[in-house]
Amino acid sequence: MKKLFLALAVISGLTVSSAKAQKMIRFGFKGGANLGKIDGTGYDDAFKLGWHLGGFAQINLVKGFGIQPELIYSSSKTEIKNTGEFQTEYELNQVKENKPKLDYLSIPVLANIDLGSPRFKLQVGPQFSIMTSKKRNVFQEGKEAFKSGDFGAVGGLWLQLPIVNISARYVIGLSNVNDITFANGTNPEKWKNQSIQLGVGITL
């Protein structure tokens, strides 16, 4: 009988520990719209519609605070404007792509801060992205227009329903993604990525 009680106590302890572990770490996936643009001379100021898709893990460290690392693939397009300055610098009529496609694999690491409820969170943190565009973004004379990496900051809101999650965030690039260098060694303009992501997903 003692052995039976001991076995039941062990099973109960493991069950409680498992439930706590599941509550402490949750996984899920999300996707939705990616509205992106490049902030810099010669580019259209309007956000262009694209998409994003990825997965995440939620790690609750203490009550009301946790971290959320993600792996997100996003795709968007930008558009070169036919401005006198841009035409002078890059000879727009020779540019092979006037609507470059920008595909990135991004790794944001966000702090989750409860806003009065564990279902409603403020999210802030850094993001590192690697360009994965299959179609090379190349300007005239074979010059690659964009750097392969980008570093940015993320801020947004997260609504966690029983299963479904809804998110809205703004991503601002902090690094210059312009990889064009003139013959005299100068880099003419700073280009920085910006995007608005609206997503919906499932939390397991």
Side-chain angles (χ1 to χ4, degrees):
M1 184 65 70
K2 289 183 179 181
K3 291 183 178 180
L4 178 60
F5 284 139
L6 180 60
L8 291 174
V10 171
I11 293 172
S12 298
L14 291 175
T15 301
V16 170
S17 299
S18 177
K20 288 183 177 179
Q22 289 177 3
K23 189 176 180 180
M24 184 183 228
I25 302 177
R26 302 181 71 182
F27 298 92
F29 57 89
K30 61 189 287 285
N34 187 71
L35 304 171
K37 72 171 184 176
I38 290 180
D39 183 18
T41 302
Y43 284 93
D44 192 345
D45 289 334
F47 286 93
K48 306 298 181 183
L49 180 62
W51 56 271
H52 73 275
L53 182 66
F56 62 87
Q58 290 181 335
I59 305 170
N60 299 314
L61 301 178
V62 295
K63 184 177 180 180
F65 179 81
I67 59 173
Q68 182 167 315
E70 299 181 353
L71 187 64
I72 302 292
Y73 188 90
S74 63
S75 179
S76 63
K77 287 185 178 181
T78 187
E79 185 172 354
I80 298 171
K81 293 191 300 184
N82 190 355
T83 64
E85 183 177 357
F86 195 93
Q87 200 166 18
T88 299
E89 297 287 355
Y90 304 112
E91 299 178 353
L92 184 60
N93 60 327
Q94 295 183 26
V95 174
K96 295 181 179 180
E97 291 185 74
N98 63 358
K99 293 184 179 180
K101 182 182 178 184
L102 304 179
D103 296 343
Y104 283 98
L105 184 64
S106 301
I107 305 174
V109 180
L110 308 177
N112 277 342
I113 304 168
D114 288 1
L115 296 176
S117 168
R119 294 196 181 280
F120 193 49
K121 304 176 186 293
L122 171 68
Q123 297 187 316
V124 291
Q127 173 175 288
F128 180 72
S129 303
I130 302 171
M131 180 174 282
T132 62
S133 302
K134 293 182 180 179
K135 187 175 182 181
R136 302 302 296 169
N137 294 291
V138 178
F139 283 175
Q140 74 277 15
E141 300 177 359
K143 296 178 182 177
E144 293 192 5
F146 299 99
K147 294 178 181 178
S148 59
D150 185 26
F151 181 75
V154 181
L157 298 172
W158 181 280
L159 176 60
Q160 182 62 63
L161 301 175
I163 297 177
V164 175
N165 58 72
I166 301 171
S167 59
R169 62 182 58 164
Y170 186 79
V171 184
I172 182 169
L174 301 178
S175 57
N176 179 20
V177 296
N178 184 355
D179 202 28
I180 294 178
T181 303
F182 290 144
N184 61 6
T186 62
N187 185 283
E189 296 289 343
K190 289 185 177 181
W191 300 342
K192 295 185 178 181
N193 279 310
Q194 294 186 31
S195 65
I196 298 171
Q197 291 184 348
L198 305 173
V200 63
I202 300 295
T203 305
L204 304 176

